């Protein structure tokens, strides 16, 4: 691992760039910051475990707010799921995955315990008269 793991090399960028959604040609406002710089800013924030607004501008990445917005845009577009699948396929093709050590993460799946309970139903039988004594 490098001393700066948030830096995206050319080989990794060649895998990531085709997955990113294109920008509209005629969009209002300033020209968007380069996607690669935003990705490196996102990785820096995640690696250093800092707040978005604390992303140092002297590193040359986009602002923390721009990186956060880009992360949100990419997350909603499903970029990270596709990137994950792409990287897994590439590693599998290279024989770099050890499937004997696979672990299924069930933290996002509800565990069914026993049979489902029947829904409560309203009684149709008569009720006892109220006690007046």
């Amino acid at each position: 691992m490098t001393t700066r793991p948030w830096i995206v090399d050319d080989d990794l960028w060649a895998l990531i760039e085709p997955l990113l959604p294109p920008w509209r040609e005629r969009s209002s406002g300033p020209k968007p910051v380069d996607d690669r710089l935003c990705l490196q800013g996102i990785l820096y924030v995640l690696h250093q475990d800092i707040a978005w607004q604390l992303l140092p501008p002297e590193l040359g990445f986009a602002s923390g707010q721009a990186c956060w917005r880009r992360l949100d845009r990419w997350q909603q577009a499903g970029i990270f799921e596709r990137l994950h699948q792409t990287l897994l396929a590439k590693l599998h093709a290279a024989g770099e995955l050890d499937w004997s050590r696979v672990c299924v993460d069930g933290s996002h799946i509800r565990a069914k315990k026993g049979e489902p309970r029947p829904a409560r139903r309203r009684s149709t039988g008569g009720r006892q008269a109220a006690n007046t004594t």
Side-chain angles (χ1 to χ4, degrees), residues 9-112:
D9 65 10
D10 292 336
D11 293 334
L12 182 58
W13 184 245
L15 289 173
I16 296 171
E17 188 176 26
L19 301 175
L20 301 178
W23 286 95
R24 292 178 292 190
E25 290 297 322
R26 293 182 175 247
S27 59
S28 61
K31 185 177 183 216
V33 178
D34 182 53
D35 285 332
R36 189 171 182 172
L37 289 176
C38 278
L39 178 60
Q40 291 179 149
I42 291 166
L43 294 174
Y44 182 86
V45 166
L46 296 176
H47 185 267
Q48 298 296 327
D49 195 25
I50 60 172
W52 292 103
Q53 63 267 23
L54 297 178
L55 182 62
E58 59 269 9
L59 292 176
F61 306 133
S63 69
Q65 185 178 14
C67 289
W68 180 85
R69 272 184 288 186
R70 195 74 53 94
L71 174 64
D72 185 54
R73 178 177 186 243
W74 291 344
Q75 184 65 32
Q76 288 180 12
I79 301 300
F80 294 104
E81 288 143 24
R82 287 186 294 196
L83 176 60
H84 186 229
Q85 293 300 320
T86 302
L87 292 175
L88 281 178
K90 188 166 181 68
L91 289 171
H92 180 65
E96 295 291 323
L97 293 179
D98 182 6
W99 291 107
S100 67
R101 299 180 54 94
V102 171
C103 174
V104 176
D105 178 14
S107 63
H108 301 300
I109 299 175
R110 190 172 151 245
K112 303 260 183 186

